[in-house]
Amino acid sequence: MLETLKSQIAGSGVMRWYQGRDPQERPIIAGLAALIVLSLLWLMVWKPLADWRETSENRFTNARVTWDWMQANEGRARQLASSGGPSTERSLLPVITRLANSHGLTLNRLQPESDGGVSVVLQAQSFNAMLQWLDELENQHKVAVQRVSLDAEGNPGLINAQLRLQ
């Protein structure tokens, strides 16, 4: 089998071309061929395996950190789940959007803030509907209006508003 492989290589066009080169050129050609083969091996085998290994190690580390965090916070999560959630915080977003829809208002921007407040932007909305909405938020849902900025819209009865609710 080895003999047939040798005879096939010796009879190939590449080998005939190589044998036809000047003896001083052959080591240079052989060195370049070896460099190309090594480069291809590195690009096609070694680098993908090394990248895969690094990615796998990063995923494992991230999974381990997440697992450790979950283990450390399991008691608190169970306590919050049994108590129905944190008692000092409440989610304003569903209340604000549900009531705005029931009053026919379109919220152009609704942005939660880090301190638990919510910034709301209304554009070209009914002034009376906005007042009724704010009244219901404040009196029935205990949502405080911290800041209001109103601008008149071109049409009578319509306003642009920027609000901060807490």
Side-chain angles (χ1 to χ4, degrees):
M1 169 135 173
L2 190 57
E3 292 298 321
T4 54
L5 184 61
K6 283 182 181 180
S7 65
Q8 286 179 350
I9 292 173
S12 70
V14 173
M15 190 55 96
R16 282 192 307 261
W17 174 84
Y18 179 75
Q19 294 297 332
R21 297 291 102 200
D22 186 351
Q24 293 175 344
E25 291 178 351
R26 288 183 192 167
I28 295 170
I29 293 171
L32 288 175
L35 182 66
I36 290 171
V37 167
L38 289 175
S39 296
L40 287 174
L41 281 174
W42 183 80
L43 285 172
M44 299 174 99
V45 177
W46 187 264
K47 179 139 176 50
L49 285 175
D51 290 347
W52 175 80
R53 181 175 178 237
E54 183 179 350
T55 301
S56 296
E57 287 175 355
N58 287 340
R59 284 182 183 163
F60 177 78
T61 301
N62 289 340
R64 175 55 93 181
V65 167
T66 301
W67 174 257
D68 291 343
W69 181 87
M70 289 171 63
Q71 291 295 322
N73 290 300
E74 178 185 14
R76 183 168 186 255
R78 289 188 188 279
Q79 180 185 14
L80 289 175
S82 66
S83 70
S87 60
T88 59
E89 297 179 12
R90 58 191 166 139
S91 181
L92 294 176
L93 296 177
V95 173
I96 291 170
T97 54
R98 182 175 41 84
L99 289 177
N101 289 336
S102 71
H103 287 280
L105 296 171
T106 302
L107 304 175
N108 292 82
R109 192 179 97 213
L110 188 66
Q111 181 175 350
E113 296 184 2
S114 61
D115 64 353
V118 177
S119 291
V120 180
V121 174
L122 304 167
Q123 293 180 340
Q125 300 297 311
S126 167
F127 178 72
N128 291 337
M130 187 202 65
L131 287 180
Q132 292 169 353
W133 172 62
L134 289 176
D135 180 61
E136 187 173 345
L137 279 172
E138 195 164 2
N139 293 327
Q140 292 183 14
H141 298 281
K142 305 299 182 225
V143 175
V145 179
Q146 291 184 328
R147 187 190 73 223
V148 177
S149 173
L150 301 174
D151 294 320
E153 178 66 23
N155 298 326
L158 297 180
I159 52 118
N160 294 328
Q162 296 179 351
L163 304 114
R164 181 156 186 337
L165 307 173
Q166 179 96 33

